[in-house]
Amino acid sequence: MAIQQKYNWRAGAAKIDVTPDSPIWMAGYGYRDRPSEGVRRPIHVRALALQPSGTPPVLLIAVELVGLSRGTIDQILCGISERHRIDDDRVTINCSHTHSGPVTSGMLDLGFDLTVQQKQLINRYTEDFVAKVVEVAGLALEDLCPASVEFGQGLTGFAVNRRRDRPGCRHFPAPVDHDVPVLCVRRQSGLIHALVFGYACHTTVMGDYMISGDHAGYAQANLESVFPGATALFITGCGADINPLPRRRIELLEAYGMVLACAVEDVVNGDTAMLASTLNVAKTSISLDLQEAPGIAAWEERMLHSSSFHRRACAYQRDQLLKGLELTKSCPYTIQAWQIGDELLWFFLSGEVVVDYSLRLKEHFGWDSTWISGYCDELLTYIPSRRVLEEGGYEGGDAMCLFGLPAPFSPNVETRILGAAQTIAESLRVSKTG
């Protein structure tokens, strides 16, 4: 690099294995009808602690699961606060969204027909998982020592907009985000201590009964092999409507993991920007309105023509109405952001966020200096853009009831989220210069 390295950050990293030790129900696909049958590759929770001069540290936690419920997120944040004295707004949790990981408590409860024994196993796994996340956070904090932090962006191209991959939909626009943003943390020895990287794509190469982190897990393992002693954290982008294609073959699982790892290597071995040792963080919650929900007759009609995965979710909404209860009209939505020096503005969006949000925010704030991550905090549901809502289909509406929501989002969902992102970015600029 042309710029002399300055080790004016403190950074620490750690990882812990969270692979289930017995067969367990898997998340991500409604057609699965039995527990896992083995482990293709172990799954982990990884943590990076970053501390600029004179300020408390922040924690970035990367989880190899499809997502986490509000209850599990709150347990993790409470544990980190009590044991490590880190405030909630300084902790960011991202799930890789692997569809080859275990179900955790409260995650897509309406979609799975589980026995009492299976539920007990999931609850025990989740309790142990939460404890390990709190533990890995502590290990990363204990590992804090002088470091440099660099940022760069690469490219790779196996992600395809999946909304075109249906009969009668090939005329749809097919936006993608092929950027591979990379945060590189080096110790004073010059050796890489941590690599944080992202990509906007579903981790859905495989759909069988074998536990793994899918292609993102393979990419992390490849990077940790190439850079011994480094911890590699995959942070999912806005890939809700994006799939790796083609897929469903083990050789593709390995190939995409290698391709993604190579894209990260290219960034590390190229020109990266040294990030100034200043970090401002912000977190906000807004309310997203839903459209008008169907009545009892409409839910019963849907039940007649739905898969069992959807039928249980439709029955839940119908039963709420039969009990005289009012269906949900809105849901909370969380946005976090980090401003690192003048070089990087990083948004962390909750839910399954479609690619339009990444493209809009980068266009507004700068393609070279903005990083957008989805699947952070609670996996509350798909987050469609106005475009996706108008196209209709799964991401824009059909998936909502699986998450306990009775209707699609209001057409203003995109403007609400982008407006909140603008507000939070402005608050970071004020705190940075104030």
Side-chain angles (χ1 to χ4, degrees):
M1 291 182 305
I3 302 176
Q4 183 179 1
Q5 292 182 5
K6 295 181 180 179
Y7 300 96
N8 52 359
W9 288 83
R10 296 180 72 232
K15 72 175 182 178
I16 292 179
D17 191 311
V18 291
T19 309
D21 58 9
S22 61
I24 190 171
W25 212 267
M26 300 173 70
Y29 293 113
Y31 59 74
R32 288 191 175 115
D33 57 5
R34 58 189 184 276
S36 59
E37 297 176 345
V39 176
R40 179 169 284 121
R41 181 177 287 280
I43 58 174
H44 297 82
V45 57
R46 294 167 166 88
L48 173 69
L50 284 177
Q51 184 174 26
S53 303
T55 61
V58 297
L59 284 167
L60 179 61
I61 298 173
V63 177
E64 290 187 89
L65 292 174
V66 76
L68 295 170
S69 69
R70 178 75 266 154
T72 302
I73 290 286
D74 288 344
Q75 289 178 46
I76 292 170
L77 293 176
C78 182
I80 290 175
S81 175
E82 290 180 353
R83 284 190 54 182
H84 309 306
R85 299 294 185 265
I86 305 294
D87 293 338
D88 292 359
D89 63 348
R90 305 189 75 81
V91 180
T92 298
I93 302 170
N94 178 275
C95 288
S96 72
H97 200 56
T98 175
H99 284 40
S100 294
V103 172
T104 52
S105 299
M107 191 69 259
L108 291 168
D109 277 351
L110 298 176
F112 303 111
D113 186 17
L114 303 174
T115 66
V116 173
Q117 291 78 11
Q118 288 162 348
K119 290 179 181 179
Q120 290 173 343
L121 176 60
I122 289 168
N123 289 338
R124 286 197 299 270
Y125 173 82
T126 305
E127 183 178 354
D128 183 60
F129 168 80
V130 169
K132 287 181 177 179
V133 176
V134 175
E135 180 184 358
V136 80
L139 293 174
L141 292 167
E142 292 172 5
D143 190 49
L144 284 167
C145 66
S148 68
V149 181
E150 307 156 25
F151 174 67
Q153 298 202 61
L155 291 167
T156 194
F158 58 84
V160 179
N161 194 297
R162 73 185 190 185
R163 292 178 64 78
R164 293 186 72 238
D165 190 29
R166 295 180 296 167
C169 297
R170 299 188 71 82
H171 62 288
F172 279 173
V176 292
D177 180 1
H178 285 321
D179 286 344
V180 180
V182 178
L183 202 72
C184 178
V185 177
R186 297 181 190 268
R187 287 286 172 86
Q188 285 180 303
S189 63
L191 295 177
I192 293 175
H193 189 61
L195 285 169
V196 185
F197 64 104
Y199 194 50
C201 185
H202 257 72
T203 38
T204 53
V205 175
M206 299 304 292
D208 54 14
Y209 291 83
M210 300 294 289
I211 296 288
S212 84
D214 208 78
H215 70 264
Y218 277 73
Q220 289 173 127
N222 286 335
L223 288 167
E224 290 174 349
S225 175
V226 171
F227 301 102
T231 300
L233 297 84
F234 175 75
I235 304 297
T236 319
C238 298
D241 51 345
I242 308 294
N243 272 348
L245 290 176
R247 55 181 182 163
R248 297 295 190 255
R249 288 187 287 180
I250 294 175
E251 56 266 33
L252 292 173
L253 180 69
E254 297 169 346
Y256 294 154
M258 179 61 72
V259 166
L260 186 52
C262 287
V264 176
E265 285 186 66
D266 287 346
V267 174
V268 172
N269 295 328
D271 291 328
T272 54
M274 187 74 64
L275 299 185
S277 180
T278 60
L279 173 60
N280 290 294
V281 303
K283 183 176 182 178
T284 190
S285 182
I286 60 175
S287 179
L288 300 178
D289 295 330
L290 303 180
Q291 299 177 30
E292 186 176 353
I296 294 173
W299 287 115
E300 290 179 340
E301 177 67 19
R302 289 188 187 185
M303 290 168 61
L304 294 175
H305 305 287
S306 297
S307 67
S308 59
F309 194 55
H310 280 78
R311 193 178 305 122
R312 286 185 291 270
C314 292
Y316 169 79
Q317 301 295 343
R318 180 207 55 187
D319 292 346
Q320 296 291 99
L321 291 172
L322 289 173
K323 294 174 184 176
L325 301 175
E326 188 176 49
L327 299 186
T328 301
K329 294 183 177 181
S330 65
C331 72
Y333 187 76
T334 301
I335 301 175
Q336 291 178 273
W338 294 358
Q339 176 73 56
I340 306 181
D342 294 318
E343 300 88 357
L344 177 59
L345 175 60
W346 194 347
F347 290 100
F348 304 94
L349 307 180
S350 58
E352 291 205 53
V353 187
V354 301
V355 70
D356 301 63
Y357 288 91
S358 181
L359 302 178
R360 299 277 191 280
L361 289 169
K362 287 197 277 193
E363 181 178 24
H364 184 82
F365 291 103
W367 293 96
D368 296 324
S369 58
T370 310
W371 187 340
I372 318 296
S373 299
Y375 298 93
C376 300
D377 199 69
E378 173 190 4
L379 186 67
L380 69 164
T381 187
Y382 277 84
I383 309 300
S385 61
R386 180 67 179 258
R387 170 187 66 85
V388 170
L389 277 176
E390 291 175 350
E391 290 174 359
Y394 185 70
E395 297 89 347
D398 293 350
M400 300 290 284
C401 67
L402 294 174
F403 294 87
L405 298 174
F409 284 111
S410 167
N412 70 357
V413 59
E414 183 175 343
T415 56
R416 290 277 295 140
I417 292 174
L418 294 179
Q422 175 73 38
T423 300
I424 204 171
E426 290 173 355
S427 75
L428 287 171
R429 290 197 180 105
V430 169
S431 61
K432 175 175 167 304
T433 58

